[in-house]
Amino acid sequence: MVFFSLLFFCFLFLVEASRASATGPRFNRIRTVSSSQFMTKTNRLVILRHGESDFNIENKFCGWHDAPLSDFGVQEALTVAIPALSQSQLEFDVVYSSVLSRSRQTAELILSKLNCAYVPIKEDWRLCERHYGNLTGCRKRTVADRYGEEQVQAWRRGYDCVPPFIEESNRYFYTICSNPIFDDVPRGEFPLAESLHMCVDRVKPVWKEVRREVLKGSRVLMCVHGTVARALVQHIEGISNEAIEKVNIPNCVPRVYEFDLSTGGLVGAAINLGDQEYIRRKTAQVAAIGD
């Protein structure tokens, strides 16, 4: 009798283990959040700024120039983004990136190291960094010394402040305008410079598409640029134009949002994954003009 009882309990254990294996880790599936009155299904969205580019390292305005990841930027993806995503057991069904190589490179590194290189990457020119106009290629400190720090911070962070339009004399003018990665930009929509507000408006249709995906249950990673990440923060959190000017996004730190699938609303605040002291230090570094 004891023997058959043991067999029965072993059978129950194997059944439960099989069920747990089939549903996957808790971060990888649609979650169920309980309260005293109801059960709510939720899903997560992850927003991540690409690793540092060559221009980031040189403290230059980059914008629509297709600067690749630097060696340090590659290491950021490997040592900051990937461990944070892996430790949180996050997996993805689709990744969104811009057409700029630093965005896609970061996405490809992440998917490769998470052993899910098969996940599709959707490239969209509307997720490109804001166009910094004639500031493109200039060192931020040099521009600050010429125009003053207040003006530079207005160009960098001001909601409606548009930098000077890029001119043909700028060494990156023809490189940008003739780059085939921008072939899908509709005639009349190719910018010569953009404010944060203009970038927010450009990103909005893509955000609506992503939101639909998330609310259908797709696990989405958006591997984008600093200003685009800020634009998404404003769309998602609904913060004011003044507040978004003060938001700074460090490279390769996953920012996780959780959504109620029935109402489409946010569940709690955004969570930045990783070492919090590192995140604070890097956020302050992004906010500063630098040397």
mmCIF file of all heavy atoms in Angstrom, residues 145-192:
data_model
loop_
_atom_site.group_PDB
_atom_site.id
_atom_site.type_symbol
_atom_site.label_atom_id
_atom_site.label_comp_id
_atom_site.label_asym_id
_atom_site.label_seq_id
_atom_site.Cartn_x
_atom_site.Cartn_y
_atom_site.Cartn_z
ATOM 1 N N ASP A 145 31.230 76.098 -25.909
ATOM 2 C CA ASP A 145 32.187 77.192 -25.775
ATOM 3 C C ASP A 145 31.859 78.333 -26.737
ATOM 4 O O ASP A 145 32.119 79.504 -26.435
ATOM 5 C CB ASP A 145 33.609 76.683 -26.060
ATOM 6 C CG ASP A 145 34.124 75.753 -24.968
ATOM 7 O OD1 ASP A 145 33.521 75.741 -23.863
ATOM 8 O OD2 ASP A 145 35.105 75.023 -25.211
ATOM 9 N N ARG A 146 31.256 78.003 -27.875
ATOM 10 C CA ARG A 146 30.934 79.038 -28.869
ATOM 11 C C ARG A 146 29.593 79.723 -28.584
ATOM 12 O O ARG A 146 29.484 80.943 -28.667
ATOM 13 C CB ARG A 146 30.914 78.419 -30.267
ATOM 14 C CG ARG A 146 30.568 79.418 -31.361
ATOM 15 C CD ARG A 146 30.622 78.779 -32.740
ATOM 16 N NE ARG A 146 30.277 79.736 -33.778
ATOM 17 C CZ ARG A 146 30.199 79.448 -35.068
ATOM 18 N NH1 ARG A 146 30.472 78.203 -35.490
ATOM 19 N NH2 ARG A 146 29.861 80.371 -35.955
ATOM 20 N N TYR A 147 28.576 78.909 -28.253
ATOM 21 C CA TYR A 147 27.218 79.453 -28.118
ATOM 22 C C TYR A 147 26.740 79.560 -26.663
ATOM 23 O O TYR A 147 25.699 80.164 -26.407
ATOM 24 C CB TYR A 147 26.218 78.584 -28.895
ATOM 25 C CG TYR A 147 26.434 78.589 -30.387
ATOM 26 C CD1 TYR A 147 27.111 77.545 -31.015
ATOM 27 C CD2 TYR A 147 25.970 79.645 -31.182
ATOM 28 C CE1 TYR A 147 27.317 77.538 -32.382
ATOM 29 C CE2 TYR A 147 26.167 79.643 -32.556
ATOM 30 C CZ TYR A 147 26.851 78.592 -33.152
ATOM 31 O OH TYR A 147 27.055 78.599 -34.517
ATOM 32 N N GLY A 148 27.480 78.961 -25.746
ATOM 33 C CA GLY A 148 27.067 78.969 -24.347
ATOM 34 C C GLY A 148 26.349 77.675 -23.975
ATOM 35 O O GLY A 148 25.652 77.075 -24.806
ATOM 36 N N GLU A 149 26.532 77.239 -22.731
ATOM 37 C CA GLU A 149 25.946 75.975 -22.271
ATOM 38 C C GLU A 149 24.418 76.010 -22.273
ATOM 39 O O GLU A 149 23.775 75.001 -22.567
ATOM 40 C CB GLU A 149 26.474 75.621 -20.881
ATOM 41 C CG GLU A 149 27.944 75.269 -20.866
ATOM 42 C CD GLU A 149 28.350 74.529 -19.606
ATOM 43 O OE1 GLU A 149 27.466 74.274 -18.750
ATOM 44 O OE2 GLU A 149 29.552 74.196 -19.481
ATOM 45 N N GLU A 150 23.846 77.160 -21.954
ATOM 46 C CA GLU A 150 22.382 77.261 -21.916
ATOM 47 C C GLU A 150 21.776 76.990 -23.292
ATOM 48 O O GLU A 150 20.774 76.275 -23.420
ATOM 49 C CB GLU A 150 21.964 78.641 -21.414
ATOM 50 C CG GLU A 150 20.460 78.786 -21.230
ATOM 51 C CD GLU A 150 20.061 80.118 -20.633
ATOM 52 O OE1 GLU A 150 20.944 80.841 -20.127
ATOM 53 O OE2 GLU A 150 18.859 80.449 -20.691
ATOM 54 N N GLN A 151 22.408 77.551 -24.337
ATOM 55 C CA GLN A 151 21.891 77.325 -25.692
ATOM 56 C C GLN A 151 22.066 75.870 -26.108
ATOM 57 O O GLN A 151 21.160 75.266 -26.709
ATOM 58 C CB GLN A 151 22.629 78.228 -26.686
ATOM 59 C CG GLN A 151 22.205 78.038 -28.130
ATOM 60 C CD GLN A 151 20.743 78.352 -28.370
ATOM 61 O OE1 GLN A 151 20.334 79.501 -28.340
ATOM 62 N NE2 GLN A 151 19.929 77.323 -28.592
ATOM 63 N N VAL A 152 23.191 75.279 -25.764
ATOM 64 C CA VAL A 152 23.426 73.882 -26.130
ATOM 65 C C VAL A 152 22.430 72.967 -25.423
ATOM 66 O O VAL A 152 21.877 72.040 -26.032
ATOM 67 C CB VAL A 152 24.876 73.467 -25.804
ATOM 68 C CG1 VAL A 152 25.061 71.962 -25.992
ATOM 69 C CG2 VAL A 152 25.847 74.211 -26.709
ATOM 70 N N GLN A 153 22.173 73.229 -24.155
ATOM 71 C CA GLN A 153 21.205 72.408 -23.433
ATOM 72 C C GLN A 153 19.795 72.612 -23.982
ATOM 73 O O GLN A 153 18.987 71.667 -23.986
ATOM 74 C CB GLN A 153 21.244 72.718 -21.926
ATOM 75 C CG GLN A 153 22.507 72.214 -21.219
ATOM 76 C CD GLN A 153 22.631 70.698 -21.243
ATOM 77 O OE1 GLN A 153 22.806 70.087 -22.306
ATOM 78 N NE2 GLN A 153 22.551 70.080 -20.077
ATOM 79 N N ALA A 154 19.496 73.811 -24.466
ATOM 80 C CA ALA A 154 18.194 74.047 -25.117
ATOM 81 C C ALA A 154 18.087 73.218 -26.391
ATOM 82 O O ALA A 154 17.048 72.607 -26.669
ATOM 83 C CB ALA A 154 18.019 75.536 -25.424
ATOM 84 N N TRP A 155 19.162 73.169 -27.185
ATOM 85 C CA TRP A 155 19.153 72.338 -28.390
ATOM 86 C C TRP A 155 19.064 70.853 -28.048
ATOM 87 O O TRP A 155 18.406 70.088 -28.736
ATOM 88 C CB TRP A 155 20.419 72.595 -29.209
ATOM 89 C CG TRP A 155 20.379 73.852 -30.021
ATOM 90 C CD1 TRP A 155 19.274 74.444 -30.571
ATOM 91 C CD2 TRP A 155 21.500 74.669 -30.390
ATOM 92 N NE1 TRP A 155 19.622 75.585 -31.251
ATOM 93 C CE2 TRP A 155 20.988 75.750 -31.164
ATOM 94 C CE3 TRP A 155 22.866 74.611 -30.143
ATOM 95 C CZ2 TRP A 155 21.820 76.749 -31.689
ATOM 96 C CZ3 TRP A 155 23.691 75.599 -30.670
ATOM 97 C CH2 TRP A 155 23.171 76.656 -31.436
ATOM 98 N N ARG A 156 19.725 70.440 -26.977
ATOM 99 C CA ARG A 156 19.749 69.024 -26.595
ATOM 100 C C ARG A 156 18.449 68.594 -25.921
ATOM 101 O O ARG A 156 17.958 67.488 -26.168
ATOM 102 C CB ARG A 156 20.901 68.741 -25.622
ATOM 103 C CG ARG A 156 22.277 68.886 -26.191
ATOM 104 C CD ARG A 156 23.319 68.526 -25.136
ATOM 105 N NE ARG A 156 23.263 67.105 -24.813
ATOM 106 C CZ ARG A 156 23.437 66.616 -23.589
ATOM 107 N NH1 ARG A 156 23.626 67.413 -22.562
ATOM 108 N NH2 ARG A 156 23.411 65.299 -23.396
ATOM 109 N N ARG A 157 17.898 69.433 -25.040
ATOM 110 C CA ARG A 157 16.811 68.999 -24.167
ATOM 111 C C ARG A 157 15.506 69.767 -24.354
ATOM 112 O O ARG A 157 14.450 69.300 -23.931
ATOM 113 C CB ARG A 157 17.248 69.121 -22.695
ATOM 114 C CG ARG A 157 18.400 68.169 -22.322
ATOM 115 C CD ARG A 157 17.898 66.734 -22.330
ATOM 116 N NE ARG A 157 18.955 65.787 -21.998
ATOM 117 C CZ ARG A 157 19.591 65.051 -22.895
ATOM 118 N NH1 ARG A 157 19.300 65.171 -24.181
ATOM 119 N NH2 ARG A 157 20.520 64.194 -22.524
ATOM 120 N N GLY A 158 15.546 70.953 -24.950
ATOM 121 C CA GLY A 158 14.346 71.762 -25.108
ATOM 122 C C GLY A 158 13.298 71.070 -25.977
ATOM 123 O O GLY A 158 13.638 70.467 -26.998
ATOM 124 N N TYR A 159 12.056 71.174 -25.588
ATOM 125 C CA TYR A 159 10.994 70.442 -26.280
ATOM 126 C C TYR A 159 10.759 70.971 -27.689
ATOM 127 O O TYR A 159 10.527 70.196 -28.617
ATOM 128 C CB TYR A 159 9.702 70.517 -25.467
ATOM 129 C CG TYR A 159 8.678 69.483 -25.869
ATOM 130 C CD1 TYR A 159 8.864 68.139 -25.552
ATOM 131 C CD2 TYR A 159 7.520 69.828 -26.555
ATOM 132 C CE1 TYR A 159 7.947 67.174 -25.922
ATOM 133 C CE2 TYR A 159 6.586 68.874 -26.922
ATOM 134 C CZ TYR A 159 6.798 67.554 -26.600
ATOM 135 O OH TYR A 159 5.886 66.593 -26.964
ATOM 136 N N ASP A 160 10.801 72.281 -27.855
ATOM 137 C CA ASP A 160 10.485 72.877 -29.160
ATOM 138 C C ASP A 160 11.660 73.596 -29.801
ATOM 139 O O ASP A 160 11.489 74.281 -30.808
ATOM 140 C CB ASP A 160 9.317 73.854 -29.014
ATOM 141 C CG ASP A 160 7.987 73.132 -28.799
ATOM 142 O OD1 ASP A 160 7.609 72.327 -29.660
ATOM 143 O OD2 ASP A 160 7.348 73.355 -27.744
ATOM 144 N N CYS A 161 12.844 73.431 -29.242
ATOM 145 C CA CYS A 161 14.023 74.133 -29.768
ATOM 146 C C CYS A 161 14.648 73.323 -30.900
ATOM 147 O O CYS A 161 15.115 72.196 -30.691
ATOM 148 C CB CYS A 161 15.031 74.356 -28.644
ATOM 149 S SG CYS A 161 16.333 75.511 -29.086
ATOM 150 N N VAL A 162 14.656 73.900 -32.109
ATOM 151 C CA VAL A 162 15.196 73.214 -33.293
ATOM 152 C C VAL A 162 16.617 73.708 -33.554
ATOM 153 O O VAL A 162 16.842 74.913 -33.669
ATOM 154 C CB VAL A 162 14.318 73.478 -34.535
ATOM 155 C CG1 VAL A 162 14.852 72.720 -35.742
ATOM 156 C CG2 VAL A 162 12.870 73.109 -34.257
ATOM 157 N N PRO A 163 17.585 72.804 -33.672
ATOM 158 C CA PRO A 163 18.951 73.224 -34.007
ATOM 159 C C PRO A 163 18.999 73.834 -35.409
ATOM 160 O O PRO A 163 18.066 73.658 -36.201
ATOM 161 C CB PRO A 163 19.750 71.914 -33.959
ATOM 162 C CG PRO A 163 18.887 70.933 -33.236
ATOM 163 C CD PRO A 163 17.480 71.346 -33.497
ATOM 164 N N PRO A 164 20.081 74.527 -35.756
ATOM 165 C CA PRO A 164 20.219 75.052 -37.127
ATOM 166 C C PRO A 164 20.144 73.914 -38.151
ATOM 167 O O PRO A 164 20.672 72.829 -37.917
ATOM 168 C CB PRO A 164 21.617 75.686 -37.117
ATOM 169 C CG PRO A 164 21.926 75.936 -35.671
ATOM 170 C CD PRO A 164 21.237 74.869 -34.907
ATOM 171 N N PHE A 165 19.465 74.162 -39.269
ATOM 172 C CA PHE A 165 19.359 73.142 -40.321
ATOM 173 C C PHE A 165 20.754 72.755 -40.825
ATOM 174 O O PHE A 165 21.661 73.591 -40.906
ATOM 175 C CB PHE A 165 18.543 73.669 -41.496
ATOM 176 C CG PHE A 165 17.058 73.710 -41.237
ATOM 177 C CD1 PHE A 165 16.522 73.363 -40.003
ATOM 178 C CD2 PHE A 165 16.188 74.098 -42.242
ATOM 179 C CE1 PHE A 165 15.166 73.398 -39.770
ATOM 180 C CE2 PHE A 165 14.818 74.146 -42.027
ATOM 181 C CZ PHE A 165 14.304 73.795 -40.790
ATOM 182 N N ILE A 166 20.899 71.479 -41.161
ATOM 183 C CA ILE A 166 22.171 71.021 -41.711
ATOM 184 C C ILE A 166 22.389 71.664 -43.075
ATOM 185 O O ILE A 166 21.472 71.779 -43.894
ATOM 186 C CB ILE A 166 22.215 69.479 -41.801
ATOM 187 C CG1 ILE A 166 23.651 69.011 -42.088
ATOM 188 C CG2 ILE A 166 21.237 68.940 -42.844
ATOM 189 C CD1 ILE A 166 23.852 67.513 -41.913
ATOM 190 N N GLU A 167 23.610 72.125 -43.308
ATOM 191 C CA GLU A 167 23.966 72.808 -44.553
ATOM 192 C C GLU A 167 24.854 71.912 -45.417
ATOM 193 O O GLU A 167 25.491 70.988 -44.912
ATOM 194 C CB GLU A 167 24.689 74.120 -44.236
ATOM 195 C CG GLU A 167 23.837 75.088 -43.411
ATOM 196 C CD GLU A 167 24.621 76.304 -42.957
ATOM 197 O OE1 GLU A 167 25.851 76.368 -43.248
ATOM 198 O OE2 GLU A 167 24.029 77.189 -42.308
ATOM 199 N N GLU A 168 24.891 72.223 -46.688
ATOM 200 C CA GLU A 168 25.704 71.424 -47.602
ATOM 201 C C GLU A 168 27.174 71.459 -47.235
ATOM 202 O O GLU A 168 27.937 70.538 -47.559
ATOM 203 C CB GLU A 168 25.510 71.899 -49.043
ATOM 204 C CG GLU A 168 24.134 71.581 -49.603
ATOM 205 C CD GLU A 168 24.022 71.905 -51.082
ATOM 206 O OE1 GLU A 168 25.012 71.668 -51.827
ATOM 207 O OE2 GLU A 168 22.967 72.388 -51.508
ATOM 208 N N SER A 169 27.591 72.506 -46.537
ATOM 209 C CA SER A 169 28.993 72.612 -46.124
ATOM 210 C C SER A 169 29.345 71.661 -44.982
ATOM 211 O O SER A 169 30.521 71.405 -44.725
ATOM 212 C CB SER A 169 29.313 74.046 -45.712
ATOM 213 O OG SER A 169 28.455 74.450 -44.640
ATOM 214 N N ASN A 170 28.320 71.121 -44.303
ATOM 215 C CA ASN A 170 28.579 70.157 -43.239
ATOM 216 C C ASN A 170 29.141 68.872 -43.849
ATOM 217 O O ASN A 170 28.590 68.347 -44.816
ATOM 218 C CB ASN A 170 27.283 69.860 -42.478
ATOM 219 C CG ASN A 170 27.493 68.983 -41.250
ATOM 220 O OD1 ASN A 170 27.934 67.845 -41.357
ATOM 221 N ND2 ASN A 170 27.168 69.513 -40.090
ATOM 222 N N ARG A 171 30.217 68.346 -43.294
ATOM 223 C CA ARG A 171 30.897 67.198 -43.901
ATOM 224 C C ARG A 171 30.018 65.952 -43.953
ATOM 225 O O ARG A 171 30.290 65.016 -44.712
ATOM 226 C CB ARG A 171 32.189 66.878 -43.146
ATOM 227 C CG ARG A 171 31.995 66.478 -41.702
ATOM 228 C CD ARG A 171 33.312 66.112 -41.043
ATOM 229 N NE ARG A 171 33.929 64.940 -41.635
ATOM 230 C CZ ARG A 171 35.014 64.353 -41.143
ATOM 231 N NH1 ARG A 171 35.621 64.866 -40.078
ATOM 232 N NH2 ARG A 171 35.506 63.275 -41.716
ATOM 233 N N TYR A 172 28.929 65.938 -43.165
ATOM 234 C CA TYR A 172 28.057 64.756 -43.132
ATOM 235 C C TYR A 172 26.775 64.946 -43.944
ATOM 236 O O TYR A 172 25.949 64.052 -44.003
ATOM 237 C CB TYR A 172 27.706 64.409 -41.679
ATOM 238 C CG TYR A 172 28.926 64.050 -40.873
ATOM 239 C CD1 TYR A 172 29.492 64.966 -39.998
ATOM 240 C CD2 TYR A 172 29.542 62.805 -41.005
ATOM 241 C CE1 TYR A 172 30.636 64.664 -39.271
ATOM 242 C CE2 TYR A 172 30.680 62.484 -40.280
ATOM 243 C CZ TYR A 172 31.222 63.418 -39.412
ATOM 244 O OH TYR A 172 32.356 63.101 -38.706
ATOM 245 N N PHE A 173 26.621 66.114 -44.574
ATOM 246 C CA PHE A 173 25.381 66.412 -45.301
ATOM 247 C C PHE A 173 25.105 65.365 -46.371
ATOM 248 O O PHE A 173 24.037 64.742 -46.386
ATOM 249 C CB PHE A 173 25.466 67.803 -45.925
ATOM 250 C CG PHE A 173 24.252 68.177 -46.729
ATOM 251 C CD1 PHE A 173 23.154 68.773 -46.125
ATOM 252 C CD2 PHE A 173 24.194 67.942 -48.101
ATOM 253 C CE1 PHE A 173 22.021 69.117 -46.863
ATOM 254 C CE2 PHE A 173 23.079 68.284 -48.847
ATOM 255 C CZ PHE A 173 21.992 68.867 -48.218
ATOM 256 N N TYR A 174 26.045 65.156 -47.289
ATOM 257 C CA TYR A 174 25.802 64.244 -48.408
ATOM 258 C C TYR A 174 25.824 62.784 -47.958
ATOM 259 O O TYR A 174 25.109 61.946 -48.519
ATOM 260 C CB TYR A 174 26.817 64.492 -49.518
ATOM 261 C CG TYR A 174 26.590 65.808 -50.235
ATOM 262 C CD1 TYR A 174 27.440 66.890 -50.016
ATOM 263 C CD2 TYR A 174 25.506 65.974 -51.092
ATOM 264 C CE1 TYR A 174 27.218 68.111 -50.650
ATOM 265 C CE2 TYR A 174 25.277 67.192 -51.729
ATOM 266 C CZ TYR A 174 26.140 68.251 -51.501
ATOM 267 O OH TYR A 174 25.906 69.459 -52.120
ATOM 268 N N THR A 175 26.626 62.485 -46.943
ATOM 269 C CA THR A 175 26.648 61.121 -46.403
ATOM 270 C C THR A 175 25.280 60.720 -45.894
ATOM 271 O O THR A 175 24.817 59.588 -46.120
ATOM 272 C CB THR A 175 27.676 61.015 -45.259
ATOM 273 O OG1 THR A 175 28.949 61.447 -45.733
ATOM 274 C CG2 THR A 175 27.762 59.592 -44.742
ATOM 275 N N ILE A 176 24.624 61.655 -45.217
ATOM 276 C CA ILE A 176 23.297 61.377 -44.666
ATOM 277 C C ILE A 176 22.246 61.367 -45.777
ATOM 278 O O ILE A 176 21.453 60.418 -45.894
ATOM 279 C CB ILE A 176 22.934 62.420 -43.588
ATOM 280 C CG1 ILE A 176 23.841 62.274 -42.364
ATOM 281 C CG2 ILE A 176 21.461 62.277 -43.177
ATOM 282 C CD1 ILE A 176 23.699 63.385 -41.345
ATOM 283 N N CYS A 177 22.239 62.409 -46.596
ATOM 284 C CA CYS A 177 21.181 62.553 -47.607
ATOM 285 C C CYS A 177 21.208 61.459 -48.667
ATOM 286 O O CYS A 177 20.167 61.125 -49.248
ATOM 287 C CB CYS A 177 21.283 63.922 -48.273
ATOM 288 S SG CYS A 177 20.872 65.291 -47.170
ATOM 289 N N SER A 178 22.380 60.885 -48.929
ATOM 290 C CA SER A 178 22.486 59.866 -49.974
ATOM 291 C C SER A 178 22.520 58.447 -49.414
ATOM 292 O O SER A 178 22.680 57.486 -50.182
ATOM 293 C CB SER A 178 23.748 60.098 -50.806
ATOM 294 O OG SER A 178 24.908 59.973 -50.002
ATOM 295 N N ASN A 179 22.352 58.291 -48.104
ATOM 296 C CA ASN A 179 22.430 56.961 -47.500
ATOM 297 C C ASN A 179 21.200 56.137 -47.882
ATOM 298 O O ASN A 179 20.064 56.534 -47.599
ATOM 299 C CB ASN A 179 22.525 57.084 -45.973
ATOM 300 C CG ASN A 179 22.980 55.790 -45.323
ATOM 301 O OD1 ASN A 179 22.684 54.690 -45.804
ATOM 302 N ND2 ASN A 179 23.685 55.908 -44.213
ATOM 303 N N PRO A 180 21.383 54.970 -48.507
ATOM 304 C CA PRO A 180 20.232 54.169 -48.950
ATOM 305 C C PRO A 180 19.361 53.635 -47.809
ATOM 306 O O PRO A 180 18.236 53.219 -48.075
ATOM 307 C CB PRO A 180 20.881 53.019 -49.736
ATOM 308 C CG PRO A 180 22.298 52.954 -49.256
ATOM 309 C CD PRO A 180 22.675 54.357 -48.912
ATOM 310 N N ILE A 181 19.846 53.670 -46.581
ATOM 311 C CA ILE A 181 18.998 53.199 -45.476
ATOM 312 C C ILE A 181 17.791 54.111 -45.283
ATOM 313 O O ILE A 181 16.808 53.701 -44.631
ATOM 314 C CB ILE A 181 19.787 53.078 -44.142
ATOM 315 C CG1 ILE A 181 20.268 54.443 -43.642
ATOM 316 C CG2 ILE A 181 20.936 52.101 -44.277
ATOM 317 C CD1 ILE A 181 20.911 54.402 -42.270
ATOM 318 N N PHE A 182 17.869 55.314 -45.855
ATOM 319 C CA PHE A 182 16.754 56.255 -45.719
ATOM 320 C C PHE A 182 15.844 56.279 -46.946
ATOM 321 O O PHE A 182 15.033 57.197 -47.102
ATOM 322 C CB PHE A 182 17.291 57.665 -45.447
ATOM 323 C CG PHE A 182 18.113 57.784 -44.200
ATOM 324 C CD1 PHE A 182 19.396 58.331 -44.251
ATOM 325 C CD2 PHE A 182 17.625 57.355 -42.982
ATOM 326 C CE1 PHE A 182 20.166 58.443 -43.109
ATOM 327 C CE2 PHE A 182 18.392 57.460 -41.823
ATOM 328 C CZ PHE A 182 19.660 57.999 -41.887
ATOM 329 N N ASP A 183 15.946 55.284 -47.807
ATOM 330 C CA ASP A 183 15.151 55.266 -49.040
ATOM 331 C C ASP A 183 13.650 55.222 -48.762
ATOM 332 O O ASP A 183 12.852 55.648 -49.614
ATOM 333 C CB ASP A 183 15.540 54.062 -49.914
ATOM 334 C CG ASP A 183 16.871 54.273 -50.624
ATOM 335 O OD1 ASP A 183 17.386 55.405 -50.593
ATOM 336 O OD2 ASP A 183 17.410 53.297 -51.194
ATOM 337 N N ASP A 184 13.258 54.704 -47.598
ATOM 338 C CA ASP A 184 11.824 54.606 -47.289
ATOM 339 C C ASP A 184 11.239 55.889 -46.709
ATOM 340 O O ASP A 184 10.029 55.958 -46.465
ATOM 341 C CB ASP A 184 11.572 53.457 -46.302
ATOM 342 C CG ASP A 184 11.753 52.091 -46.950
ATOM 343 O OD1 ASP A 184 11.650 52.011 -48.181
ATOM 344 O OD2 ASP A 184 11.996 51.110 -46.215
ATOM 345 N N VAL A 185 12.083 56.882 -46.476
ATOM 346 C CA VAL A 185 11.562 58.149 -45.949
ATOM 347 C C VAL A 185 10.763 58.835 -47.060
ATOM 348 O O VAL A 185 11.297 59.100 -48.141
ATOM 349 C CB VAL A 185 12.707 59.072 -45.486
ATOM 350 C CG1 VAL A 185 12.136 60.388 -44.946
ATOM 351 C CG2 VAL A 185 13.558 58.384 -44.422
ATOM 352 N N PRO A 186 9.490 59.110 -46.835
ATOM 353 C CA PRO A 186 8.662 59.720 -47.892
ATOM 354 C C PRO A 186 9.200 61.077 -48.327
ATOM 355 O O PRO A 186 9.783 61.815 -47.534
ATOM 356 C CB PRO A 186 7.285 59.861 -47.221
ATOM 357 C CG PRO A 186 7.295 58.866 -46.113
ATOM 358 C CD PRO A 186 8.701 58.809 -45.623
ATOM 359 N N ARG A 187 8.981 61.359 -49.595
ATOM 360 C CA ARG A 187 9.381 62.664 -50.132
ATOM 361 C C ARG A 187 8.712 63.777 -49.312
ATOM 362 O O ARG A 187 7.525 63.731 -49.035
ATOM 363 C CB ARG A 187 8.971 62.778 -51.599
ATOM 364 C CG ARG A 187 9.466 64.045 -52.302
ATOM 365 C CD ARG A 187 8.989 64.062 -53.753
ATOM 366 N NE ARG A 187 9.523 62.927 -54.504
ATOM 367 C CZ ARG A 187 10.715 62.915 -55.086
ATOM 368 N NH1 ARG A 187 11.495 63.979 -55.000
ATOM 369 N NH2 ARG A 187 11.119 61.853 -55.764
ATOM 370 N N GLY A 188 9.481 64.735 -48.918
ATOM 371 C CA GLY A 188 8.956 65.848 -48.130
ATOM 372 C C GLY A 188 9.033 65.633 -46.629
ATOM 373 O O GLY A 188 8.751 66.560 -45.864
ATOM 374 N N GLU A 189 9.420 64.436 -46.199
ATOM 375 C CA GLU A 189 9.504 64.168 -44.751
ATOM 376 C C GLU A 189 10.936 64.003 -44.263
ATOM 377 O O GLU A 189 11.164 63.761 -43.080
ATOM 378 C CB GLU A 189 8.686 62.919 -44.390
ATOM 379 C CG GLU A 189 7.193 63.105 -44.573
ATOM 380 C CD GLU A 189 6.389 61.916 -44.041
ATOM 381 O OE1 GLU A 189 6.822 61.296 -43.042
ATOM 382 O OE2 GLU A 189 5.336 61.603 -44.637
ATOM 383 N N PHE A 190 11.901 64.118 -45.165
ATOM 384 C CA PHE A 190 13.309 63.996 -44.761
ATOM 385 C C PHE A 190 13.700 65.266 -44.003
ATOM 386 O O PHE A 190 13.713 66.352 -44.565
ATOM 387 C CB PHE A 190 14.204 63.818 -45.985
ATOM 388 C CG PHE A 190 15.531 63.182 -45.684
ATOM 389 C CD1 PHE A 190 15.790 61.880 -46.076
ATOM 390 C CD2 PHE A 190 16.521 63.872 -44.991
ATOM 391 C CE1 PHE A 190 17.015 61.275 -45.801
ATOM 392 C CE2 PHE A 190 17.729 63.286 -44.708
ATOM 393 C CZ PHE A 190 17.991 61.979 -45.113
ATOM 394 N N PRO A 191 14.053 65.151 -42.727
ATOM 395 C CA PRO A 191 14.313 66.360 -41.933
ATOM 396 C C PRO A 191 15.702 66.927 -42.181
ATOM 397 O O PRO A 191 16.632 66.204 -42.548
ATOM 398 C CB PRO A 191 14.189 65.845 -40.494
ATOM 399 C CG PRO A 191 14.629 64.416 -40.570
ATOM 400 C CD PRO A 191 14.158 63.918 -41.914
ATOM 401 N N LEU A 192 15.839 68.218 -41.948
ATOM 402 C CA LEU A 192 17.147 68.879 -41.961
ATOM 403 C C LEU A 192 17.582 69.213 -40.537
ATOM 404 O O LEU A 192 18.753 69.533 -40.295
ATOM 405 C CB LEU A 192 17.101 70.141 -42.818
ATOM 406 C CG LEU A 192 16.804 69.910 -44.308
ATOM 407 C CD1 LEU A 192 16.706 71.240 -45.046
ATOM 408 C CD2 LEU A 192 17.877 69.025 -44.939
#
